Amino acid sequence: YRAKDARSGHHVYVSDDDTHGDDRLRTLEELRTALVSDELILHYQPKVDLATGDVHGVEALVRWNHPARGLLYPDAFLGLVEEAGLMPELTCLVLGQALDQAARWQEQGNPLTVSVNLSASSLKNADLPERIIAMVEARGLPPHALMLEITEEFLMADREKARAILGRLRGGGIRIAIDDFGTGYSSLAYLRDLPVDELKLDRSFVMPMSDDTRAAALVASTINLAHSLGLRMVAEGVEDAAAYDELVGYGCDHAQGYHLSRPVPAAELDLWLAERPLPAAAAQGAQVYEH
Ligand code: C2E
Ligand code: MG
Ligand code: MG
Ligand code: MG
């Protein structure tokens, strides 16, 4: 259903015959409206610590609550956002919402680190690091409340610029993750010299792991290499208990995926956090207290 939705969204804006030209204009107009209304919302997906079961961080993922078409996923509209040159506006809006939510969690005594995705086109924005740091400070948040997820595409587009921007962000205490790791052309040797905290192993490696020993071997050895370079590894696309257990066995640090939780609105995430069984470490502590 979702893929179909995404495809029809794509159809609207790539076509250039007259009828679709009108559609495209309308969609662009709708997008401009969405950027100044409350139609763009964030869902949050937890990252679970595989050693303890704790949740210290969540990823913010944008959705468009379209008045006529319902809830749209990023694949259906981020292409248009890029094409229309509106990515700086979207990034600013997403960062603002994500940091407001991080401040709410902080106030509630649950200081979660929020990860925000940064597109490769953000490299064009020369004062981006300073603006992001100012947004974090304006909310009284510590810099480690924010993590930015960039792709290998971001790194490879302009290595010097990428390195400079990451250096300034990291200098300000903001954390950096490499998203969809393994799908691009960057090598671990290149990453070794970059100011990066976390690698997110792409789900195309994680999902086939349980039925394919070669895929599993690739995942296990990538985790070891990352650790030997002092990087934390997060596995994306953890869809079942078998994958979860296998990753625990490989010493992977964190897991994210439908097996744990789909991306959900903040209120739903709060419920999920409150209702889930205590992580093993905390449960042990509680037992000691009772006896
Ligand atoms: P991503 O950053 O790699 O985010 C992970 C995607 O995988 C999300 O899709 C998430 O819903 C999906 N996912 C999570 N767990 C599972 C699982 O167990 N199985 C499977 N099959 N999928 C899983 P979503 O939300 O549709 O986002 C797609 C992409 O759109 C993101 O990929 C990211 O690149 C981009 N994106 C999302 N929000 C933003 C944003 O605010 N700004 C920018 N620039 N890009 C964004
Ligand atoms: Mg991401
Ligand atoms: Mg990813
Ligand atoms: Mg991805």
Side-chain angles (χ1 to χ4, degrees):
Y1 169 73
R2 195 181 125 183
K4 206 171 138 201
D5 208 323
R7 231 173 284 132
S8 66
H10 195 64
H11 185 66
V12 171
Y13 59 80
V14 291
S15 193
D16 55 11
D17 64 70
D18 275 348
T19 342
H20 288 110
D22 287 347
D23 280 350
R24 188 188 188 284
L25 277 181
R26 197 179 58 220
T27 311
L28 193 54
E29 202 54 43
E30 288 170 352
L31 181 64
R32 291 219 167 86
T33 306
L35 281 163
V36 293
S37 67
D38 51 8
E39 289 173 19
L40 292 179
I41 58 164
L42 298 182
H43 282 180
Y44 298 89
Q45 187 177 37
K47 283 190 303 190
V48 172
D49 184 321
L50 285 165
T52 64
D54 288 328
V55 174
H56 302 296
V58 297
E59 177 173 8
L61 295 154
V62 70
R63 275 90 181 88
W64 182 357
N65 206 348
H66 191 282
R69 295 165 65 203
L71 196 67
L72 302 182
Y73 288 82
D75 288 350
F77 62 89
L78 284 185
L80 177 62
V81 173
E82 288 283 9
E83 220 184 294
L86 291 168
M87 194 48 94
E89 283 80 358
L90 180 117
T91 301
C92 188
L93 188 133
V94 168
L95 274 168
Q97 280 190 32
L99 290 170
D100 285 345
Q101 184 57 49
R104 253 173 260 136
W105 278 321
Q106 185 101 357
E107 278 164 30
Q108 291 164 15
N110 185 24
L112 295 169
T113 292
V114 178
S115 294
V116 169
N117 293 283
L118 213 54
S119 84
S121 63
S122 308
L123 274 174
K124 289 183 210 135
N125 190 343
D127 64 347
L128 189 77
E130 288 67 34
R131 287 176 61 177
I132 292 178
I133 291 166
M135 287 180 83
V136 175
E137 280 174 353
R139 287 160 180 85
L141 284 165
H144 60 254
L146 179 65
M147 171 129 55
L148 295 170
E149 296 192 1
I150 58 166
T151 55
E152 291 174 78
E153 190 194 346
F154 180 108
L155 294 172
M156 301 324 248
D158 183 338
R159 289 188 183 213
E160 281 315 300
K161 207 181 243 178
R163 187 186 295 275
I165 285 188
L166 295 188
R168 271 145 66 204
L169 285 165
R170 194 76 165 343
I174 311 281
R175 297 190 190 166
I176 308 291
I178 311 288
D179 206 353
D180 304 338
F181 181 69
T183 58
Y185 296 99
S186 64
S187 64
L188 279 163
Y190 169 61
L191 294 180
R192 180 189 55 197
D193 302 324
L194 277 180
V196 161
D197 301 275
E198 185 174 287
L199 298 182
K200 300 190 77 175
L201 191 59
D202 192 66
R203 63 169 184 261
S204 59
F205 299 97
V206 178
M207 282 165 54
M209 207 176 49
S210 310
D211 333 294
D212 178 351
T213 53
R214 289 167 66 93
L218 197 62
V219 169
S221 61
T222 309
I223 292 168
N224 289 337
L225 272 169
H227 284 168
S228 68
L229 295 174
L231 297 168
R232 188 166 58 209
M233 185 62 93
V234 181
E236 300 185 324
V238 178
E239 293 194 341
D240 51 43
Y244 186 93
D245 293 342
E246 221 168 315
L247 289 163
V248 171
Y250 298 151
C252 188
D253 303 285
H254 295 263
Q256 189 179 336
Y258 296 165
H259 173 61
L260 298 153
S261 167
R262 291 189 174 253
V264 290
E268 242 175 89
L269 186 84
D270 286 341
L271 281 177
W272 181 83
L273 286 168
E275 281 170 5
R276 68 200 289 261
L278 281 176
Q284 250 169 36
Q287 253 174 9
V288 169
Y289 182 71
E290 272 167 26
H291 286 287

